[in-house]
């Protein structure tokens, strides 16, 4: 699968627009627009930013790997990972904060 096709696939899975991807990746709208319109390969820096926005590694980007490929990971955890990957960076931070608060509540009880 080509890089631009993979980006389109990941945007579609998350219901993201190119604008949303640019915002989440900290890239300019014109960078993403030019990338998508021209079909050029992004620089490594740009691709790393895109992967970070998606919450995946470069390896996961290129192999299309999902947690379902690992039999040691339960379907429940896979579902959580898929949902997490659809969140914005700000939303992910809130999830981490919430989980941290839950863990501290448990320790106090």
């Amino acid at each position: 699968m080509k890089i631009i096709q993979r980006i389109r696939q990941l945007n579609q899975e998350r219901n993201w627009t190119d604008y949303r991807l640019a915002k989440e990746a900290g890239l300019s709208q014109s960078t993403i627009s030019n990338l998508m319109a021209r079909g050029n390969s992004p620089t490594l820096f740009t691709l790393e930013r895109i992967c970070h926005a998606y919450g995946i590694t470069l390896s996961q980007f290129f192999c299309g790997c999902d947690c379902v490929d690992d039999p040691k990971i339960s379907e429940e955890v896979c579902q959580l990972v898929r949902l997490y990957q659809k969140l914005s960076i700000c939303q992910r931070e809130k999830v981490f904060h919430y989980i941290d608060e839950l863990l501290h509540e448990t320790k106090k009880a």
Side-chain angles (χ1 to χ4, degrees):
M1 180 179 290
K2 294 186 178 187
I3 292 174
I4 301 306
Q5 290 172 324
R6 178 74 167 133
I7 292 171
R8 286 191 176 115
Q9 174 194 12
L10 291 166
N11 272 354
Q12 185 177 20
E13 287 173 6
R14 290 160 176 76
N15 295 319
W16 284 12
T17 61
D18 292 346
Y19 174 79
R20 170 92 185 261
L21 173 59
K23 184 176 176 180
E24 296 294 335
L27 299 167
S28 69
Q29 171 65 34
S30 62
T31 297
I32 300 297
S33 294
N34 288 334
L35 184 69
M36 302 306 271
R38 295 182 182 156
N40 297 337
S41 293
T43 64
L44 181 58
F45 172 80
T46 300
L47 190 54
E48 285 176 332
R49 299 293 297 258
I50 289 170
C51 288
H52 179 74
Y54 289 141
I56 62 174
T57 64
L58 283 169
S59 175
Q60 290 169 317
F61 179 89
F62 284 109
C63 76
C65 295
D66 198 346
C67 57
V68 294
D69 296 330
D70 188 341
K72 296 177 281 188
I73 299 177
S74 71
E75 181 56 36
E76 182 181 37
V77 172
C78 286
Q79 186 176 2
L80 286 170
V81 169
R82 286 186 201 107
L83 290 171
Y84 173 82
Q85 289 176 332
K86 293 180 180 183
L87 299 174
S88 69
I89 292 171
C90 181
Q91 290 170 321
R92 291 178 197 160
E93 290 172 1
K94 290 177 182 178
V95 168
F96 275 108
H97 179 72
Y98 179 71
I99 291 171
D100 190 50
E101 289 295 318
L102 286 174
L103 291 172
H104 282 88
E105 274 182 25
T106 305
K107 289 179 184 178
K108 290 178 184 177

